[in-house]
């Protein structure tokens, strides 16, 4: 049961470092200089986005046998491992949202939109399909987002400039690859091959 919380927390925290939402957190922190409304917006947006993704993952997982689901998860985790190696860039549309609203609402809208189709949202779908404790997965992925983004908001540009982003992307990709290998093993077990 604890795996449903700890694995998503670690995976998302690693995957989020150097991600476009972390870049968005830097921009918002520099623009507004009000960390607490920004952090509150990150929490609200992530909970909403990852809850929706988690429900989709749990629903998706109910349609397949254990063996088929694990093969699908293995392929998805392997693809996400490769995707994690590609650095994110910030879209101008996401940054321009800040001109219209205050720090909380801007962060809420921008983070929710930035997470749509992002690798951490896709990871949440896959993790929710894999682990039976849906709410622990959602809490874990949200904690992972906070672990990666709150220090950036609090420290501003200093923290992101000093991090070895290439190494962190490789560690995150390795974590997704390990999940893919575990999923392959579980698929082989479910199929009776092991």
């Amino acid at each position: 049961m604890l795996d449903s919380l700890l694995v998503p927390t670690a995976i998302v925290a690693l995957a989020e470092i150097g991600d476009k939402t972390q870049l968005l957190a830097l921009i918002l922190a520099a623009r507004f200089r009000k960390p607490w409304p920004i952090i509150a917006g990150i929490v609200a947006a992530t909970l909403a986005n990852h809850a929706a993704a988690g429900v989709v993952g749990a629903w998706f997982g109910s349609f397949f046998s254990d063996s088929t689901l694990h093969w699908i998860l293995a392929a998805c985790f392997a693809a996400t491992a490769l995707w994690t190696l590609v650095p994110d860039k910030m879209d101008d549309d996401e940054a321009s949202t800040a001109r219209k609203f205050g720090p909380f609402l801007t962060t809420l809208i921008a983070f929710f939109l930035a997470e749509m189709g992002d690798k951490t949202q896709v990871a949440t779908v896959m993790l929710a399909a894999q682990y039976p404790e849906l709410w622990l997965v959602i809490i874990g992925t949200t904690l992972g987002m906070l672990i990666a983004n709150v220090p950036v908001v609090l420290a501003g540009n200093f923290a992101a400039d000093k991090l070895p982003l290439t190494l962190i992307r490789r560690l995150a990709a390795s974590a997704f690859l390990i999940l893919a290998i575990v999923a392959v093993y579980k698929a082989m077990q479910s199929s009776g091959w092991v």
Side-chain angles (χ1 to χ4, degrees), residues 1-42:
M1 186 166 129
L2 205 51
D3 287 351
S4 297
L5 176 69
L6 298 179
V7 171
T9 300
I11 292 294
V12 170
L14 278 173
E16 187 62 21
I17 295 174
D19 191 72
K20 68 181 172 182
T21 47
Q22 195 175 50
L23 298 173
L24 178 60
L26 283 169
I27 290 168
L28 293 169
R31 174 161 293 169
F32 289 110
R33 306 241 187 256
K34 294 181 181 179
W36 300 115
I38 294 169
I39 292 168
I42 292 170

Side-chain angles (χ1 to χ4, degrees), residues 46-61:
T46 303
L47 279 172
N49 191 293
H50 288 198
V55 168
V56 167
W59 174 75
F60 182 78

Side-chain angles (χ1 to χ4, degrees), residues 60 64-78 126 183 187:
F60 182 78
F64 299 100
S65 69
D66 282 349
S67 176
T68 303
L69 179 62
H70 285 106
W71 284 114
I72 292 168
L73 288 172
C76 290
F77 281 130
M126 292 183 298

Side-chain angles (χ1 to χ4, degrees), residues 97-163:
T97 305
R99 294 185 194 108
K100 298 177 186 174
F101 307 105
F104 174 77
L105 197 53
T106 296
T107 304
L108 177 71
I109 293 167
F111 260 76
F112 187 84
L113 293 176
E115 274 296 294
M116 297 301 286
D118 193 58
K119 64 183 158 269
T120 51
Q121 185 189 41
V122 172
T124 301
V125 170
M126 292 183 298
L127 291 163
Q130 183 173 2
Y131 292 103
E133 293 84 12
L134 173 62
W135 289 106
L136 288 178
V137 170
I138 294 165
I139 291 168
T141 58
T142 301
L143 286 173
M145 284 286 282
L146 294 174
I147 288 168
N149 288 303
V150 168
V152 170
V153 171
L154 295 175
N157 292 329
F158 175 77
D161 291 342
K162 303 297 180 194
L163 294 173

